[in-house]
Structures are given as structure tokens and as C-alpha cells.
Amino acid sequence: MPQEAGPWSALSEPGDDIRDSWSSAPHSTILVDCGLEWDAVVVAPLERGLAALTRLGLPIDRGYPVLADYVRQELVIHVPAGTARRCAAQGTRILTTGSWLLVPAGERGSIFATWLSPPHRSRPRYVDPDELSDALQQVDKHSQRGKPACSSPP
């Protein structure tokens, strides 16, 4: 039986608290280079990426760095450095050495870069790109069959 949409899906639209933080946080984003400590996988659309994270069962509050770009409707998921190319799912792009990413300078960021799950201060956890690829493919397969994208694995 399909599971109800998990907590990740609740983040598809910014809440009032997040919107308020954007207006009160000048200089709230910075550009950082990818590929040193982590790579990133950019998933479009945002809801698809959230459904994949729900499918993986990743808790929001455990330090997996995940960003939302609400303007482009993309989800940015950090993976271990040197591994992003292993995510072979369609509708993704990778950011690795030579790429730059806009990230929040503070707690929330901006409409272009908002932490949905901020990295753990001393020991961030990264999403496995192979598992992410599999989860995205499952989300796509279930969406094509007309099933909810956030259903639990069979």
C-alpha cells in the first residue's frame, strides 16, 4: 500500500518563516566551489527530487545537505566528492570540480538557495549517488504508471 507523502514533500513551497528570513537577511548567499569536499546532483523538478529523498527514507534533520532553488524549481543534493557522475538518472545535472554553487551564507539563504536540510556542522552526511539515481528512476517509473511519486518501495 502506498505511503503518504513524507516530510520532504512538505518542503516543495517555502513556508512563511522561510520567506520572512529571506527579507531580513542581507547578503544571505555565497558562491562556493564544488568538488573539494562534496559534489552536487541537481534534480528537476523540485518535487521529483523531494519524492526521491522520501523514497530513500532520509530524515530531514540528520545533516544531509539539501538545497532548494525555488525560482528554478530545482533540488540540489550533496554527494561525496568525486561521485556525482554515478547518478545516471534523467533530469539531473552534476556539479563537481570546476562548478560553482550558490549556497546560503547563513541559516536559510534566499529564494535561489535555501537549506531544506542544512549540513551537520562538524560531520555532514552525504547522499549516495547510486541510491539517489535508483530512487529517481523509481519515482519516474511510478509517476508514469499514475501512482504517487512518494510511494514506499515495493
Side-chain angles (χ1 to χ4, degrees):
M1 174 156 78
Q3 176 183 343
E4 289 296 316
W8 286 100
S9 64
L11 302 173
S12 64
E13 291 292 326
D16 290 338
D17 59 331
I18 292 174
R19 290 179 191 273
D20 291 344
S21 73
W22 294 338
S23 63
S24 64
H27 304 99
S28 57
T29 55
I30 57 172
L31 276 174
V32 297
D33 52 346
C34 305
L36 300 175
E37 295 178 31
W38 46 264
D39 288 349
V41 176
V42 182
V43 180
L46 178 73
E47 291 82 7
R48 179 175 170 248
L50 294 171
L53 293 178
T54 296
R55 188 165 192 77
L56 288 172
L58 298 178
I60 294 172
D61 61 352
R62 295 292 165 84
Y64 291 95
V66 176
L67 290 165
D69 179 337
Y70 287 111
V71 173
R72 296 176 129 202
Q73 286 296 296
E74 294 177 330
L75 193 69
V76 181
I77 303 165
H78 288 96
V79 298
T83 67
R85 295 186 196 289
R86 295 189 342 225
C87 184
Q90 291 185 350
T92 62
R93 71 179 193 280
I94 61 165
L95 302 175
T96 189
T97 305
S99 301
W100 291 84
L101 177 64
L102 190 65
V103 299
E107 199 170 302
R108 286 291 180 193
S110 72
I111 194 168
F112 295 100
T114 299
W115 287 121
L116 299 184
S117 175
H120 188 277
R121 294 196 187 275
S122 62
R123 195 176 36 102
R125 297 176 173 186
Y126 299 110
V127 176
D128 180 281
D130 297 311
E131 291 177 9
L132 177 61
S133 185
D134 291 344
L136 287 166
Q137 290 169 5
Q138 288 297 315
V139 165
D140 293 344
K141 185 166 56 170
H142 284 273
S143 293
Q144 290 172 358
R145 289 186 194 160
K147 295 182 179 180
C150 294
S151 64
S152 59

